[in-house]
Amino acid sequence: SALKAGADDFVSSSDAAVEDLVGLVTTAAEGRKHVGAAAGLASRIAGSSPAIERVRARVTGLAPLSTPVLVIGEEGTGRDTVVRAIHELGPNAEGRLFAVDCASFAPERGLPECRAVYLDGVERLSPAGQDYWARRLTDWEGRQFRSGPRVFASSVPIFRSAAQTPFHAY
């Protein structure tokens, strides 16, 4: 709830290393530099409705973080545009965003060295692909996403109504 309210990050352990805390503060301070760059979002994410304004605000808020991001939307609604905007406003913007077509992802080929990876259509991952990414994300989560690439994913909505959704939709 703190992140939803606008916090840049949180520390869940009282025995956090000083170096980790300094890193969090540095990342948060650098993230503030990207707020001005977010002004250009209006040309990339078109519209002036309150819903579009919320999308732009979320893109701006998510950009400086290192945590994975899942973008959900129907085909043709701009999921790729949103992922690219978050990446380009984020701390890994200078690095390449490596796109993975989840329908043809082969875990045995692995992942090239990259600073950011985009899993396009995670609902189409094979069971082996799901296992591969679950292991990677669990490993990176154990290190608070400070190693490994920033992970973006997109999916079409699986649940068609609020009554079918087993989680809060934001």
Side-chain angles (χ1 to χ4, degrees):
S1 62
L3 291 172
K4 288 181 210 167
D8 288 329
D9 212 329
F10 67 92
V11 177
S12 60
S13 175
S14 61
D15 60 348
V18 172
E19 296 82 24
D20 290 340
L21 295 174
V22 169
L24 288 173
V25 172
T26 302
T27 300
E30 288 172 353
R32 300 283 184 234
K33 296 175 190 173
H34 296 288
V35 173
L41 280 177
S43 65
R44 297 179 71 179
I45 302 174
S48 59
S49 71
I52 291 296
E53 292 298 332
R54 284 192 302 275
V55 169
R56 285 191 202 111
R58 287 185 180 162
V59 166
T60 303
L62 290 168
L65 304 178
S66 60
T67 56
V69 175
L70 172 63
V71 178
I72 299 174
E74 297 291 344
E75 293 285 335
T77 57
R79 294 175 306 179
D80 294 352
T81 300
V82 167
V83 166
R84 285 181 185 6
I86 295 170
H87 170 67
E88 290 168 8
L89 293 173
N92 294 331
E94 74 284 348
R96 180 174 156 235
L97 176 62
F98 182 78
V100 174
D101 177 5
C102 290
S104 61
F105 176 71
E108 61 275 4
R109 284 187 274 170
L111 180 67
E113 188 65 34
C114 60
R115 300 279 313 253
V117 63
Y118 172 32
L119 305 175
D120 188 9
V122 291
E123 74 279 2
R124 299 182 314 238
L125 273 173
S126 68
Q130 292 174 32
D131 182 57
Y132 175 90
W133 286 107
R135 282 184 280 122
R136 293 296 170 282
L137 288 168
T138 300
D139 178 48
W140 296 329
E141 181 182 32
R143 290 179 262 156
Q144 297 182 330
F145 299 106
R146 285 186 175 72
S147 66
R150 172 109 188 247
V151 179
F152 301 96
S154 70
S155 176
V156 295
I158 297 171
F159 302 99
R160 300 295 178 197
S161 74
Q164 293 175 302
T165 307
F167 51 84
H168 249 10
Y170 300 103

